[in-house]
C-alpha cells in the first residue's frame, strides 16, 4: 500500500503562483499524475510524469503555466503553478500508477486526499 499526502494548496489572486507537493509514504518508482476537480465538474487530468522524471505531459489548459517535477530521494512530486486563473480553482489530487504515467485516472491505483486551490479574480 502507498499513502499519498498533498499539501501546498490555498487561496491566491489571479496571476499568482502556488506549489503543491505530494509526499508518498514509501519509495515508489511509479508514474505520478495530478488531477483536479472543480465544483460541479468531473475530475480531469492536469499533468503526469514518468518514474525517472524525464518525461512529462500536460493538459492544454495548463501547458506553459504548470510544471510537474519529482524528487525520488524525497518520495515527493511537485506541481508548480504559475499565472493562475480563476478557472484553475479546484481540489487537486495526486495519484500513482504502477504501470507508468497515464492520462486516464483509471490507470492510477493510489490517490491522495486532495488539496484545495482557490484563485480569486
Amino acid at each position: 500500500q502507498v499513502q499519498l499526502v498533498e499539501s501546498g494548496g490555498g487561496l491566491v489572486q489571479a496571476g499568482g503562483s502556488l506549489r503543491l507537493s505530494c509526499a508518498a509514504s514509501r519509495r515508489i518508482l511509479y508514474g505520478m499524475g495530478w488531477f483536479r476537480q472543480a465544483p460541479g465538474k468531473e475530475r480531469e487530468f492536469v499533468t503526469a510524469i514518468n518514474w525517472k522524471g524525464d518525461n512529462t505531459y500536460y493538459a492544454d489548459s495548463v501547458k506553459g503555466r504548470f510544471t510537474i517535477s519529482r524528487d525520488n530521494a524525497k518520495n515527493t512530486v511537485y506541481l508548480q503553478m504559475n499565472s493562475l486563473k480563476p478557472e484553475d480553482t479546484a481540489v487537486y489530487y495526486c495519484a500513482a500508477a504502477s504501470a507508468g504515467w497515464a492520462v486516464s485516472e483509471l490507470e492510477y491505483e493510489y490517490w491522495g486526499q486532495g488539496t484545495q486551490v482557490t484563485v480569486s479574480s
Side-chain angles (χ1 to χ4, degrees):
Q1 281 292 331
V2 177
Q3 283 75 50
L4 302 175
V5 179
E6 302 98 334
S7 61
L11 174 64
V12 64
Q13 288 188 333
S17 298
L18 280 175
R19 188 175 83 153
L20 305 183
S21 298
C22 172
S25 57
R26 61 175 177 83
R27 183 177 177 84
I28 53 171
L29 297 181
Y30 291 179
M32 299 293 295
W34 285 95
F35 292 77
R36 67 186 181 185
Q37 187 167 22
K41 295 187 177 181
E42 293 187 353
R43 189 158 56 187
E44 64 175 1
F45 171 82
V46 176
T47 180
I49 189 167
N50 68 339
W51 73 270
K52 288 184 179 180
D54 60 357
N55 192 6
T56 58
Y57 188 78
Y58 296 90
D60 287 343
S61 59
V62 305
K63 202 171 293 184
R65 299 187 299 122
F66 290 12
T67 303
I68 188 172
S69 62
R70 67 189 299 162
D71 184 340
N72 288 336
K74 296 183 178 179
N75 302 333
T76 301
V77 176
Y78 304 98
L79 180 62
Q80 178 67 43
M81 305 186 295
N82 298 329
S83 302
L84 282 162
K85 305 175 181 180
E87 51 263 45
D88 294 318
T89 295
V91 177
Y92 283 72
Y93 300 89
C94 73
S98 60
W101 70 269
V103 174
S104 171
E105 62 179 78
L106 298 177
E107 300 295 327
Y108 291 83
E109 298 105 313
Y110 305 103
W111 291 82
Q113 82 289 348
T115 186
Q116 177 70 47
V117 171
T118 302
V119 184
S120 63
S121 57

